[in-house]
């Protein structure tokens, strides 16, 4: 039986159309299994074990961040959708989630690439003030572009490190007091390139190696109250206009022969936040189609 510290659930099991959870003090609860949309027809009922819990996902207006937020919402989380440039997408996504479950999502704007510490603390305080708690922080916001060593500018280095590594660190600093109260967790979105780099993405690879070490370091410092883990995705939801030749190159080196659709990353994050991962901290999960062993 999976164990989880604090006030979260200590076990979750499914029984017919209901899921049964055992709370820390031995009390049981029952929730109706979440009904799925037609897009999820291949996936059966999902237990909403996180009802009443609040998750803040950075970069959740689009692509992988959005997929993570959607997966957490299916598990019952109330979701804080952080965005910067993708306002229209974030507002539309918020409306979509609220149509599924009333008042279960809200969009928050913040530019985490400037005045990083102050911006991170303000964002976390906004979320905590709105719902009175925070149970999960997912650091997903990131930027990605090539930086050949002969051409890399200091400004590029700063932009990549600020958003991809500095922001997650100070977001965790800001969230830690709230997560200690709820015995919550942090999940950082790294990348297989943080372990096995590829030129000319060297600065991006450095930022993802940094977020892995941030995860492991803070897992030690914040234990036992707060767990800190990471996901290590491969190719998942290519950006618009991504070079078709490069897409084919990525997929040809992926043992499972395809790119992810974001759902795999979202479900991996949900697992790491769940009672089933309650004895995991400083650990990584790699939804990469096997790419991590094939580079």
């Amino acid at each position: 039986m999976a164990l989880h510290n604090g006030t979260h659930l200590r076990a979750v099991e499914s029984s017919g159309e209901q899921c049964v959870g055992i709370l820390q003090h031995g009390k049981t609860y029952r929730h109706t299994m979440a009904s799925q949309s037609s897009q999820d027809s291949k996936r059966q009922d999902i237990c909403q074990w996180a009802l009443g819990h609040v998750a803040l996902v950075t970069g959740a207006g689009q692509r992988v961040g959005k997929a993570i937020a959607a997966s957490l919402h299916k598990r019952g989380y109330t979701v804080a959708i952080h965005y910067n440039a993708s306002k229209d997408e974030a507002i539309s996504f918020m409306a979509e989630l609220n149509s599924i479950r009333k008042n279960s999502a809200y969009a928050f704007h913040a530019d985490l690439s400037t005045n990083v510490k102050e911006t991170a603390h303000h964002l976390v305080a906004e979320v905590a003030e709105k719902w009175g708690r925070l149970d999960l922080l997912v650091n997903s916001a990131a930027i990605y572009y090539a930086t050949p060593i002969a051409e890399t500018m200091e400004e590029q280095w700063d932009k990549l490190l600020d958003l991809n590594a500095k922001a997650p660190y100070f977001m965790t600093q800001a969230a830690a007091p709230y997560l200690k109260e709820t015995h919550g967790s942090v999940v950082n979105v790294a990348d297989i390139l943080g372990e096995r780099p590829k030129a000319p993405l060297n600065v991006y690879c450095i930022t993802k190696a940094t977020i892995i070490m941030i995860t492991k370091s803070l897992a030690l410092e914040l234990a036992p109250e707060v767990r800190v883990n990471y996901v290590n995705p491969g190719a998942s939801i290519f950006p618009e206009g991504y070079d078709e030749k490069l897409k084919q190159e990525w997929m040809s080196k992926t043992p499972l022969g395809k790119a992810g659709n974001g759902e795999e990353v979202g479900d991996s994050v949900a697992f790491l936040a769940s009672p089933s991962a309650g004895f995991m901290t400083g650990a990584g999960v790699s939804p990469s189609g096997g790419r991590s062993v094939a580079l």
Side-chain angles (χ1 to χ4, degrees):
M1 179 178 292
L3 298 181
H4 195 272
N5 292 327
T7 57
H8 282 255
L9 310 180
R10 294 185 66 187
V12 176
E13 300 175 353
S14 62
S15 175
E17 295 183 352
Q18 291 187 323
C19 56
V20 181
I22 304 174
L23 299 176
Q24 181 187 23
H25 300 296
K27 295 180 180 179
T28 59
Y29 82 104
R30 294 178 183 271
H31 285 307
T32 302
M33 302 289 268
S35 60
Q36 301 302 298
S37 67
S38 58
Q39 294 179 346
D40 301 307
S41 58
K42 293 182 180 179
R43 300 169 61 200
Q44 300 303 312
D45 293 333
I46 293 177
C47 177
Q48 292 189 314
W49 50 264
L51 282 172
H53 293 181
V54 175
L56 166 55
V57 184
T58 67
Q62 58 182 344
R63 301 182 62 238
V64 171
K66 180 179 179 180
I68 291 169
S71 182
L72 295 172
H73 188 265
K74 288 176 184 175
R75 271 74 180 183
Y77 276 101
T78 295
V79 179
I81 303 165
H82 159 260
Y83 70 93
N84 182 24
S86 55
K87 179 179 179 179
D88 291 344
E89 295 93 333
I91 297 301
S92 174
F93 183 40
M94 175 185 73
E96 177 188 339
L97 295 185
N98 284 328
S99 71
I100 296 170
R101 197 169 69 247
K102 189 176 179 181
N103 299 325
S104 60
Y106 195 80
F108 296 83
H109 173 261
D111 182 355
L112 289 169
S113 67
T114 59
N115 300 316
V116 176
K117 180 177 178 178
E118 179 182 349
T119 303
H121 279 257
H122 180 72
L123 173 58
V124 171
E126 273 193 300
V127 173
E129 181 179 1
K130 180 168 181 63
W131 287 302
R133 64 183 294 149
L134 181 63
D135 301 271
L136 173 64
L137 169 64
V138 182
N139 288 305
S140 174
I143 50 176
Y144 168 95
Y145 49 80
T147 50
I149 184 62
E151 302 169 18
T152 302
M153 306 296 291
E154 188 175 358
E155 181 184 9
Q156 293 175 311
W157 171 278
D158 289 342
K159 283 185 176 180
L160 283 160
L161 266 290
D162 280 353
L163 185 59
N164 294 9
K166 187 176 180 180
Y169 182 89
F170 284 105
M171 284 294 295
T172 305
Q173 180 190 70
Y178 302 101
L179 296 174
K180 285 181 178 180
E181 289 182 5
T182 59
H183 287 260
S185 68
V186 178
V187 180
N188 292 316
V189 180
D191 193 301
I192 56 169
L193 296 181
E195 294 182 343
R196 306 187 68 175
K198 178 178 175 60
L201 300 168
N202 53 75
V203 180
Y204 173 79
C205 296
I206 289 166
T207 69
K208 291 304 183 178
T210 303
I211 196 65
I212 292 170
M213 186 51 64
I214 287 172
T215 301
K216 294 180 179 182
S217 298
L218 296 185
L220 291 174
E221 184 167 348
L222 297 177
E225 295 94 342
V226 180
R227 296 182 302 109
V228 188
N229 295 295
Y230 67 98
V231 289
N232 240 8
S236 185
I237 312 184
F238 290 106
E240 262 186 64
Y242 198 82
D243 184 86
E244 193 61 37
K245 185 178 179 181
L246 290 177
K247 282 186 187 179
Q248 294 305 317
E249 180 187 346
W250 275 97
M251 288 186 284
S252 70
K253 294 180 179 178
T254 301
L256 293 186
K258 62 180 181 178
N261 61 14
E263 190 175 88
E264 304 91 347
V265 183
D267 288 351
S268 296
V269 171
F271 163 70
L272 288 172
S274 77
S276 296
F279 201 52
M280 293 175 66
T281 195
V285 172
S286 183
S288 64
R291 183 71 193 272
S292 60
V293 296
L295 280 174

